Amino acid sequence: MSRLIKSCITLLSVICLTVSCTEPQLNNHQAVVIGLDSDVTTLNPLYVSREAEANISELIYLALVGYDWDSEKGEVISYPLLAKKIEWNGDSSSVLITIRDDIKWSDGDKVTTDDIVYSFDLYSDPKVQSRFYGIFNNYYLNQDLSIDLEKTFKIISPTRLEIKFKPNVPTSTFDFDMPILPKHLFKNIKREELATSDIGFKPIGSGPYILDKWDRNQSIQLVKNAKSVLVNGNTIDKIIFKVIPDYNSRINQLRKGEIDITENISPEDMRDLKSDNDIVMIARRGREYDYLGLKNVGSEKENQGSNQLFGNKNIRKALSFALNRESILKEYLLGNGELMTGPIAPIFKSSFNSDLISFKYDLQKAKELLQNAGWKDNDGDGVIEKDGKKFEFTLSIPSGNPLRNYSATIFQNNLKAVGIDVKLNTLEPAVFFEKMFNKELEAWIAGWMVPIPLDLKPYWYSDTQIAQANVYGYKNLRVDWLLDNLEKKLTKSEYANTLREFQQIIYDEQPALFLFWIDNIVGYNKRIKNMKINPLGAVQKCWTWELAQ
Amino acid sequence: MKNFWTIFRKRLFSTALILFLITSFIFLLLRLAPGDPTQRFLSPELSPLLLEKIKKSFLLDKPLLEQYLIFIKNIFSGEFGISYNYRIPVMSVIWNTLPFTLIFATISFSLQISISLLLVFFISQRRNSLLDRLLGKINLVFYSIPTMIVGMFLIFIFSLQLNLLPMSGLHSIDFDNASVWDKLINYSVHLILPLATLSLPGIIVFYGYLRNNIDEVYKRSFVLFLRSCGENEKIIFRKHVLPNSVEPLISVLGTELSILLSGTLITENIFGLPGMGRLIVDAILTRDYPLVVGCVFVSAILVIIANTVADVVKVNINKRLASEYFE
């Protein structure tokens, strides 16, 4: 029997050694492996919803324009992709687009202006239910919110197209930056069935990469599209997205060189990985932030005399002073972030109001503000009260987010120090977000990502039919006016001034307690050259990446 | 095989009823639980109108009773609808993960039985030795270590430190061009650590059960009788003690096989394997109702089959039980 066991162990060792020698080493190949936390569900640009899906789909389907980040000016700049020339008329109410005549779909057909019009038709069609449905506000629309094709598009030739917009709306390349779809393939599928058709799994695009293999829940492999004008001899042959659900495994594989790039690395791991000579760590200054939301903030006028706990802006300011955000930034984020003053990130240099200074942790000031508002601890139980009502509330957080969990515990202690009793409640994300959007939570910690282009209306407009992310119930007529104004044509200085005033009001009223801008920490193998990591993301313009020899 | 079909036929009605009740229960439970499958379309950047359209296309705008009737109609026509996440028929999504789960579970199950039996054989010749006593003591310790820790430990040793085995995945990324033999080796090597992680607790449990059962059987009078007749100790063990010790274990084996077939979430997650465990948990977390019901239905069938197989094995080992099943 012991002989049998010895034989088993020897056999196992031989297999291990043999295979460790035969295990392919990707470093020797012209391939880059990107770690993903979960598989993508579709590559059909009509339905991609997650960032990873959009990143992959944009490598396969080209848009008319692409974007870069100008870190000097702190703003997005566009560059032509499918388009060769973009000519705006005097008042920017129409644009003449000339597309490149050397771009083909990966099945060999030419990309024409007909494909462009057809793509916008699909994106705006209610039957298709694409992710862009209902957002073509600058276009001439039919009653069902689909684009009025006749009024909007004029095909001049297979390479020239004119797009006409509604008058007096602020138009830009953001109005037509969606990926372009091949009409000759999509038109064969019933519009109602596009969501379930297998065109999302067998994409034919015009981009620099084509789908080579999709191994469900394992990897997605893209290969260089040799016919694309964007690629050259130095372009990386293969971009592989490898699904690794476990965070620790992703980090270990980055260390071991089994993957080349991974995002959302914890600050603690960043510290360890920095010592690895093969890995470059970048804390991408971001547009993602965490905030502490409060229920029924309302408007100052509405709240006069009401007993809404968070209706008084001085109470909200007191809470802002009471939260020790600095300690979280220093101890948990290890400095990979920035304290907030409002919902516009400092990276948007031309829009950011730099005169505002973030609320510093000041318990004395918090106590004073609460006392002035009539909240005092009369019965000596450590909890302040007013008109017999104790200052206590439940702070909810979604499970599975260690930062929010840590912050909630710190804040609970901070608020206890000023006499506020906070109970913590952790909810499963699906339940948490349902309750948050239904305005059923008393207070909560969540986060947003500031969209590009900057769009503040969905978050801060009083009408919650328009602003579905105004979960705090914030109302301010001046803010509404400013946000409406941003949708008109403004000069650069008018635009900047409007945003400055908006930020000042939000700062003064604290409708939400702004916590910190959180850096997205990216780690990549130093063999990748020309990689640009900026607020637009890490996985972008992969066709410009090169591998060190 | 004849026994299997006889037992299966006898249970056909109750099996169909159980499947119907389980799926109906899950359907209602999901609808009554908090959470909304269209939540991920509720985003500041997407139009609120899109949410309404999607709710309508998922039939979530209809009353619960109407949704249930449509669901029942679909079940009887062998469909579970379209997965909300994947936007393809539920059965196609399940079919992508089911073969792996079946193969992985079967290999792990076979390993658990064979290694625990080997250990028992080995120890039975050294009863009350130091090793026997040591295994008896550390049994509980090993069993109480969470799978996640075992997996991380194995990765740390064999992948990170010794660089012998791959950390995750079912095969190497660029294995398409490899020969059949190389592919087989590639698969095998990728499965060594997951199988070790998954099988270790099972081996310990089966070993513990068998070891205790063997002790109990040795105390029985028929063993004393055989010894007094001068029967060889090895023959007593192989022909009399072992078969009598294995029988109580069969039900435990049936349960273990059912658990394995329903998916092994933690192992799949750590090693990035495409199994049913990950699929069902993701479906629950994102409230993909049709996919959850489909997964539960398939898992229930697998559990019923595993238990039926366990009963058949029991009948074959102990003929006296046959009267319970066949009368």
Side-chain angles (χ1 to χ4, degrees), chain A residues 1 19 23-24 41 129-131 133 145 195-196 213 215 218 221 240 249 252-253 256 428 434 437 468, chain B residues 35 39 42-43 46-47 49 53 87 122 163 167-168 170-174 176 185 189 270 272 274 287:
Chain A
M1 185 59 68
V19 175
E23 179 73 2
T41 53
Q129 295 178 11
S130 97
R131 61 178 162 142
Y133 172 69
L145 300 185
T196 52
K213 194 180 166 202
D215 226 346
Q218 289 290 291
Q221 303 189 25
I240 298 164
S249 294
N252 285 334
Q253 294 197 28
K256 211 182 153 193
E428 186 213 329
E434 186 189 31
F437 279 109
Q468 51 184 336
Chain B
Q39 196 68 58
L42 184 55
S43 148
L46 300 179
S47 163
L49 295 166
K53 297 266 173 208
R87 305 264 188 143
F122 183 73
N163 203 17
M167 255 185 270
S168 80
L170 192 52
H171 52 72
S172 297
I173 284 170
D174 50 357
D176 277 352
I185 290 186
V189 165
I270 298 172
R287 303 294 191 269

Side-chain angles (χ1 to χ4, degrees), chain A residues 63-117:
Chain A
L64 288 166
V65 290
Y67 295 108
D68 249 333
W69 182 257
D70 183 337
S71 47
E72 284 289 309
K73 290 183 184 166
E75 59 186 32
V76 167
I77 43 169
S78 66
Y79 61 89
L81 273 174
L82 263 179
K84 194 160 75 179
K85 212 190 296 172
I86 295 171
E87 298 160 276
W88 292 92
N89 71 345
D91 62 355
S92 300
S93 62
S94 82
V95 61
L96 189 65
I97 299 169
T98 309
I99 62 167
R100 300 177 66 129
D101 56 4
D102 51 357
I103 294 197
K104 288 182 177 174
W105 298 108
S106 54
D107 62 359
D109 282 20
K110 262 196 160 185
V111 179
T112 67
T113 44
D114 214 18
D115 292 312
I116 299 169
V117 175

Side-chain angles (χ1 to χ4, degrees), chain B residues 75-91:
Chain B
I75 279 195
F76 279 104
S77 59
E79 283 177 20
F80 286 89
I82 302 286
S83 157
Y84 297 160
N85 290 340
Y86 294 88
R87 305 264 188 143
I88 53 173
V90 162
M91 278 303 158

Side-chain angles (χ1 to χ4, degrees), chain A residues 167-179:
Chain A
N168 295 321
V169 288
T171 50
S172 70
T173 53
F174 290 118
D175 289 306
F176 49 84
D177 63 355
M178 294 83 188

Side-chain angles (χ1 to χ4, degrees), chain A residues 84-303:
Chain A
K84 194 160 75 179
K85 212 190 296 172
I86 295 171
E87 298 160 276
W88 292 92
N89 71 345
D91 62 355
S92 300
S93 62
S94 82
V95 61
L96 189 65
I97 299 169
T98 309
I99 62 167
R100 300 177 66 129
D101 56 4
D102 51 357
I103 294 197
K104 288 182 177 174
W105 298 108
S106 54
D107 62 359
D109 282 20
K110 262 196 160 185
V111 179
T112 67
T113 44
D114 214 18
D115 292 312
I116 299 169
V117 175
Y118 187 75
S119 302
F120 284 91
D121 184 18
L122 284 186
Y123 282 127
S124 68
D125 187 343
K127 277 187 256 158
V128 176
Q129 295 178 11
S130 97
R131 61 178 162 142
F132 296 118
Y133 172 69
I135 63 162
F136 292 94
N137 298 325
N138 290 347
Y139 285 75
Y140 289 104
L141 298 176
N142 297 313
Q143 267 196 335
D144 61 359
L145 300 185
S146 61
I147 296 175
D148 185 333
L149 300 179
E150 271 187 35
K151 265 188 173 176
T152 306
F153 297 104
K154 188 180 168 193
I155 296 177
I156 299 161
S157 76
T159 54
R160 277 167 76 80
L161 168 78
E162 188 185 2
I163 305 177
K164 290 175 194 153
F165 297 99
K166 283 195 294 201
N168 295 321
V169 288
T171 50
S172 70
T173 53
F174 290 118
D175 289 306
F176 49 84
D177 63 355
M178 294 83 188
I180 301 303
L181 309 167
K183 181 182 176 181
H184 64 287
L185 297 173
F186 276 72
K187 72 173 182 190
N188 300 328
I189 304 160
K190 275 191 192 166
R191 293 191 173 204
E192 294 85 349
E193 290 169 10
L194 274 168
T196 52
S197 88
D198 63 358
I199 204 152
F201 314 113
K202 296 169 185 166
I204 300 288
S206 56
Y209 286 91
I210 48 182
L211 180 69
D212 180 35
K213 194 180 166 202
W214 188 347
D215 226 346
R216 281 276 176 197
N217 284 311
Q218 289 290 291
S219 65
I220 293 176
Q221 303 189 25
L222 306 182
V223 286
K224 187 161 81 174
N225 179 4
K227 291 175 198 158
S228 171
V229 292
L230 295 173
V231 304
N232 57 42
N234 292 330
T235 310
I236 295 167
D237 290 340
K238 265 191 170 187
I239 305 280
I240 298 164
F241 295 85
K242 187 177 177 187
V243 182
I244 311 160
D246 185 58
Y247 168 78
N248 291 314
S249 294
R250 280 200 300 280
I251 298 300
N252 285 334
Q253 294 197 28
L254 179 69
R255 250 189 211 121
K256 211 182 153 193
E258 284 187 15
I259 60 172
D260 294 295
I261 306 165
T262 191
E263 293 187 71
N264 298 313
I265 297 172
S266 76
E268 218 169 298
D269 284 323
M270 180 190 189
R271 205 167 42 185
D272 296 343
L273 288 164
K274 264 185 174 169
S275 59
D276 193 318
N277 291 332
D278 290 332
I279 299 170
V280 181
M281 298 300 299
I282 304 250
R284 174 160 68 92
R285 202 31 54 109
R287 39 194 183 104
E288 293 113 49
Y289 68 90
D290 268 10
Y291 69 91
L292 193 152
L294 304 165
K295 188 184 181 181
N296 287 340
V297 169
S299 67
E300 281 307 304
K301 201 177 168 188
E302 265 179 13
N303 286 316

